[in-house]
C-alpha cells in the first residue's frame, strides 16, 4: 500500500510591515476678498456721473460775488479827560450820526496822541527833533512824529530865524497820556535832550499839549445799497455829547485803507465731485500652518536653531521606532 504523502510544513507568514499613515495635508487659510469700492454718483447740471467712468468734461460753474461798500475814516477828538472815552459809546455815536445800524460800524484802531508845538531858535533836522522829543518824554522814537516849518528872518538876507516843530507822541495806553502831556510841557527838558545830542538851540513852547483820541473807523453799506459817507464833524460831536456825555472838538477825515479787506471767496453753485475712493490692497496670504504630527513648538528668534534640529531628527526617530516594533513582533512569533 503506498505510503501517504507527508503534509507540507506550514511556513510562518512574514509579518506585514505597517503602512505609515500619510502626513495630513497642509491647510491653507483662504485669503479674504477685497471689499468692493462703493459706488458714488454725482449729479452735475442734471447729468449723473459715477466715479468709475469719469472722463474729461467741461462744467459751467456759476459764482456769486458780493462786493461790500466800506468807507474808512479817521476821527480825532480833543478831550481834556481821556479816561472818559468809551469805545462802545463812540461806535453808537457814529451809527447815529451816519444814520446806519450799529452792526455796520467797526472800530479798526484806537490811538491816544499828545500834540505840542515848539519853536527852535535855529535850524534843526527831523532826526534830531524826533530823538530829542522821545528822550525828553521817555518814549520810543517810533512813537514820535514831527512836522518842521522853517521861518526866515527877512526876505533880503534869507537868514534862518527859527524852526517851528509840531511834535505828536502816540500811544495805545490811555493811562500814559497824562504823564506824556506833563513832560511835553517842559521845554527846558526838551532843550537839555537836544544839548545831549550836541545841539545848543533855545526852545520855547508855542502851544500847550493837546490830548486827543484818534479812532480809525469803518462804516458799511447795506446789501445792495450805496456807499455810506463819513459823518460830519458837527453831527458826530452832537451825538458824542448826547451818548457819551462829554464835550469834544471833533475832526473827520476819510482815508484809504493800507491793507484792504480780502474779497469773499466765490461759492460754486453745485457740489463738486468727490475724489475716487482708492481700492484697498488685498491682504497677503498667511503662511500655511505646519502639520500637527511634527509637534513643532512656538519659538522665538533666539531658539531657531533648536527648531531646525527638531525638524531633522523627528522623522528619523519615528522610522527607528517603527522598525524596532516590527523586529520585536517577529522575535515573539
Amino acid at each position: 500500500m503506498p505510503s501517504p504523502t507527508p503534509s507540507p510544513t506550514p511556513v510562518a507568514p512574514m509579518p506585514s510591515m505597517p503602512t505609515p499613515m500619510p502626513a495630513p495635508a497642509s491647510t491653507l487659510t483662504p485669503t479674504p476678498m477685497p471689499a468692493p469700492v462703493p459706488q458714488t454718483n454725482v449729479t452735475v447740471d442734471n447729468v449723473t456721473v459715477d466715479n468709475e467712468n469719469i472722463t474729461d468734461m467741461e462744467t459751467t460753474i456759476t459764482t456769486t460775488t458780493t462786493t461790500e461798500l466800506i468807507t474808512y475814516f479817521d476821527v480825532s477828538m480833543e478831550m481834556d479827560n481821556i479816561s472818559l472815552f468809551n469805545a462802545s459809546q463812540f461806535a453808537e455815536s457814529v451809527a447815529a450820526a451816519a444814520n446806519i445800524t450799529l452792526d455796520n460800524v467797526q472800530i479798526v484802531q484806537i490811538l491816544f496822541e499828545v500834540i505840542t508845538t515848539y519853536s527852535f531858535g535855529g535850524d534843526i533836522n527831523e532826526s534830531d527833533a524826533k530823538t530829542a522829543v522821545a528822550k525828553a518824554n521817555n518814549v520810543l522814537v517810533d512813537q514820535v512824529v514831527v512836522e518842521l516849518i522853517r521861518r526866515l528872518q527877512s526876505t533880503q538876507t534869507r537868514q534862518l530865524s527859527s524852526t517851528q516843530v509840531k511834535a505828536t507822541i502816540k500811544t495805545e495806553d490811555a493811562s500814559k497820556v497824562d504823564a506824556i502831556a506833563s513832560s511835553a510841557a517842559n521845554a527846558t527838558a526838551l532843550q537839555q535832550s537836544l544839548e545831549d545830542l550836541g545841539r545848543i538851540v533855545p526852545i520855547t513852547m508855542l502851544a500847550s499839549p493837546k490830548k486827543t483820541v484818534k479812532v480809525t473807523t469803518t462804516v458799511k453799506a447795506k446789501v445792495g445799497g450805496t456807499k455810506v459817507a463819513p459823518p460830519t464833524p458837527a453831527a458826530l460831536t452832537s451825538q458824542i455829547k448826547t451818548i457819551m456825555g462829554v464835550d469834544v472838538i471833533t475832526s473827520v477825515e476819510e482815508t484809504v485803507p493800507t491793507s484792504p479787506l480780502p474779497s469773499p471767496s466765490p461759492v460754486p453753485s453745485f457740489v463738486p465731485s468727490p475724489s475716487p475712493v482708492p481700492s484697498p490692497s488685498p491682504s497677503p496670504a498667511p503662511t500655511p500652518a505646519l502639520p500637527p504630527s511634527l509637534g513643532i513648538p512656538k519659538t522665538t528668534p533666539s531658539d531657531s536653531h533648536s527648531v531646525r534640529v527638531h525638524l531633522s531628527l523627528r522623522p528619523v526617530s519615528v522610522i527607528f521606532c517603527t522598525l524596532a516594533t516590527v523586529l520585536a513582533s517577529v522575535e515573539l512569533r
Side-chain angles (χ1 to χ4, degrees):
M1 197 173 166
S3 58
T5 304
S7 301
T9 304
V11 180
M14 293 295 293
S16 60
M17 297 291 291
T19 304
M21 296 295 293
S26 302
T27 302
L28 297 179
T29 304
T31 302
M33 295 295 292
V37 180
Q39 185 76 15
T40 303
N41 294 331
V42 179
T43 301
V44 181
D45 296 338
N46 298 325
V47 178
T48 302
V49 182
D50 60 80
N51 64 343
E52 294 183 354
N53 300 301
I54 297 178
T55 58
D56 293 336
M57 63 180 179
E58 294 183 359
T59 303
T60 302
I61 301 177
T62 303
T63 60
T64 303
T65 303
T66 303
T67 302
E68 293 183 337
L69 298 178
I70 300 177
T71 305
Y72 286 77
F73 56 94
D74 289 336
V75 177
S76 295
M77 296 170 289
E78 185 179 337
M79 303 177 61
D80 293 332
N81 189 353
I82 294 295
S83 63
L84 297 178
F85 174 77
N86 184 287
S88 299
Q89 293 177 347
F90 171 79
E92 294 178 17
S93 303
V94 171
N99 194 26
I100 59 175
T101 56
L102 182 59
D103 58 347
N104 287 327
V105 178
Q106 181 181 4
I107 295 177
V108 179
Q109 185 183 41
I110 300 176
L111 285 177
F112 302 96
E113 300 179 341
V114 177
I115 304 173
T116 313
T117 304
Y118 306 95
S119 177
F120 286 65
D123 191 15
I124 186 72
N125 59 57
E126 181 179 344
S127 177
D128 288 346
K130 289 181 63 174
T131 303
V133 171
K135 184 178 180 181
N137 293 276
N138 195 26
V139 297
L140 300 176
V141 175
D142 293 341
Q143 294 178 250
V144 180
V145 177
V146 296
E147 298 178 23
L148 306 181
I149 302 175
R150 292 178 170 84
R151 295 182 181 275
L152 300 177
Q153 187 174 15
S154 67
T155 57
Q156 296 178 352
T157 59
R158 308 295 294 178
Q159 294 179 353
L160 185 63
S161 173
S162 63
T163 302
Q164 182 175 315
V165 178
K166 180 181 178 181
T168 302
I169 302 174
K170 302 181 179 182
T171 179
E172 295 181 353
D173 190 350
S175 63
K176 296 181 178 180
V177 173
D178 290 338
I180 294 175
S182 178
S183 61
N186 190 346
T188 304
L190 178 58
Q191 184 171 328
Q192 181 61 49
S193 299
L194 191 61
E195 290 179 1
D196 294 340
L197 298 176
R199 302 294 306 274
I200 301 177
V201 177
I203 300 175
T204 56
M205 186 174 61
L206 298 179
S208 300
K210 296 179 181 179
K211 295 177 287 187
T212 66
V213 182
K214 184 176 182 180
V215 186
T216 301
T217 314
T218 66
V219 290
K220 182 173 60 176
K222 298 179 181 179
V223 177
T226 58
K227 183 178 180 181
V228 179
T232 63
L236 185 55
T237 301
S238 176
Q239 293 296 334
I240 291 175
K241 173 65 175 178
T242 302
I243 298 175
M244 198 179 300
V246 295
D247 293 318
V248 297
I249 300 176
T250 308
S251 64
V252 180
E253 180 183 1
E254 186 172 356
T255 59
V256 177
T258 55
S259 54
L261 297 176
S263 302
S265 302
V267 180
S269 60
F270 71 99
V271 180
S273 302
S275 302
V277 181
S279 302
S281 57
S283 304
T287 305
L290 293 174
S293 61
L294 296 181
I296 299 177
K298 294 182 179 180
T299 61
T300 59
S302 59
D303 55 9
S304 59
H305 179 71
S306 62
V307 174
R308 289 194 296 271
V309 173
H310 283 297
L311 286 174
S312 60
L313 296 182
R314 182 76 178 183
V316 176
S317 62
V318 171
I319 295 174
F320 276 111
C321 290
T322 304
L323 291 177
T325 302
V326 172
L327 292 177
S329 62
V330 172
E331 290 178 357
L332 291 175
R333 292 184 181 182

